[in-house]
Amino acid sequence: TQLLEQSPQFLSIQEGENLTVYCNSSSVFSSLQWYRQEPGEGPVLLVTVVTGGEVKKLKRLTFQFGDARKDSSLHITAAQPGDTGLYLCAGVYNFNKFYFGSGTKLNVKP
Amino acid sequence: GAVVSQHPSRVICKSGTSVKIECRSLDFQATTMFWYRQFPKQSLMLMATSNEGSKATYEQGVEKDKFLINHASLTLSTLTVTSAHPEDSSFYICSATRGADYNEQFFGPGTRLTVL
């Protein structure tokens, strides 16, 4: 079992649609991060959320950290084919362990 | 700044041979380096955490004798897959931190290992 569970696991949508990806845990994290990974490459950091209830926006992407710091969400508005990729949440657990979520594979069709 | 490289980017080897993968921090000293493994269409799974000059800490289920990690300097960590088998075929990714904040990890581009 994963410490961080993401849903949905796969998502295929049309260009222009909105979507939300969820990252959930039964454990409290001091912070959570979201990454995007292209096939054959390392993950690229999108954002770090630190404070419970925090909301960060990055152009069409909105990230939220749950009040209890056990969950996070990523919302994409008006998705574009360039948003296609594997989205991963990740966080530091117990101050010395860094874990990735189970991943969400997003495909945006033109 | 904060660039991490991996070498090789791709390697194909025969079953039973050993393969060494290098992870280098190019423009900073890495206090800690991490090794991850990723199977197709899956997430990254932490294999081990290594600090310069000390033994690596392996995650549960990762064989220490199978995956040898050496962190000999503040800019280089190596992962050696010993007696590789087809089930070891995977995408291996390293990351490095500059300080104690594990949130600030810099990821390498990954190494695709194929064992025939």
Side-chain angles (χ1 to χ4, degrees):
Chain A
T1 57
Q2 297 251 187
L3 198 61
L4 289 165
E5 290 287 348
Q6 288 182 235
S7 61
Q9 188 176 0
F10 299 100
L11 192 56
S12 183
I13 61 173
Q14 291 293 141
E15 181 177 1
E17 293 183 6
N18 301 332
L19 67 115
T20 302
V21 178
Y22 299 93
C23 174
N24 294 292
S25 177
S26 57
S27 302
V28 175
F29 284 79
S30 57
S31 62
L32 278 179
Q33 299 182 313
W34 285 93
Y35 291 82
R36 180 165 164 266
Q37 185 184 24
E38 301 273 6
E41 299 180 10
V44 175
L45 178 65
L46 297 174
V47 77
T48 300
V49 285
V50 179
T51 307
E54 181 178 5
V55 176
K56 280 191 174 179
K57 291 191 175 184
L58 186 64
K59 296 184 180 178
R60 292 177 294 101
L61 279 61
T62 302
F63 305 86
Q64 186 164 6
F65 199 13
D67 291 340
R69 293 188 286 129
K70 292 183 178 181
D71 56 88
S72 181
S73 64
L74 158 60
H75 182 79
I76 301 179
T77 303
Q80 299 176 1
D83 295 327
T84 294
L86 178 66
Y87 288 82
L88 299 159
C89 64
V92 178
Y93 174 74
N94 205 28
F95 301 105
N96 62 354
K97 295 288 186 183
F98 188 82
Y99 290 111
F100 277 90
S102 48
T104 295
K105 182 71 176 72
L106 171 65
N107 180 36
V108 182
K109 295 175 283 187
Chain B
V3 178
V4 175
S5 70
Q6 282 184 240
H7 177 79
S9 57
R10 291 177 179 268
V11 57
I12 301 173
C13 68
K14 293 182 179 179
S15 186
T17 61
S18 294
V19 175
K20 180 184 285 188
I21 302 170
E22 292 185 349
C23 176
R24 292 182 184 274
S25 56
L26 298 184
D27 51 3
F28 67 99
Q29 292 186 329
T31 52
T32 305
M33 286 185 169
F34 302 86
W35 285 96
Y36 297 87
R37 183 176 182 177
Q38 186 177 30
F39 291 108
K41 299 182 181 179
Q42 294 188 22
S43 185
L44 283 74
M45 298 298 294
L46 180 64
M47 298 176 66
T49 302
S50 74
N51 294 288
E52 183 264 341
S54 61
K55 291 183 178 180
T57 302
Y58 290 81
E59 293 299 298
Q60 192 172 8
V62 178
E63 299 177 57
K64 301 178 183 181
D65 296 331
K66 175 76 173 174
F67 300 99
L68 300 178
I69 292 173
N70 187 317
H71 194 160
S73 77
L74 284 171
T75 59
L76 173 65
S77 176
T78 60
L79 167 67
T80 301
V81 183
T82 62
S83 187
H85 291 283
E87 57 265 31
D88 298 324
S89 298
S90 188
F91 193 52
Y92 292 87
I93 302 175
C94 73
S95 70
T97 62
R98 286 189 288 204
D101 185 1
Y102 284 11
N103 277 316
E104 195 181 37
Q105 290 193 35
F106 303 97
F107 287 86
T111 296
R112 172 72 61 192
L113 170 63
T114 303
V115 184
L116 303 176

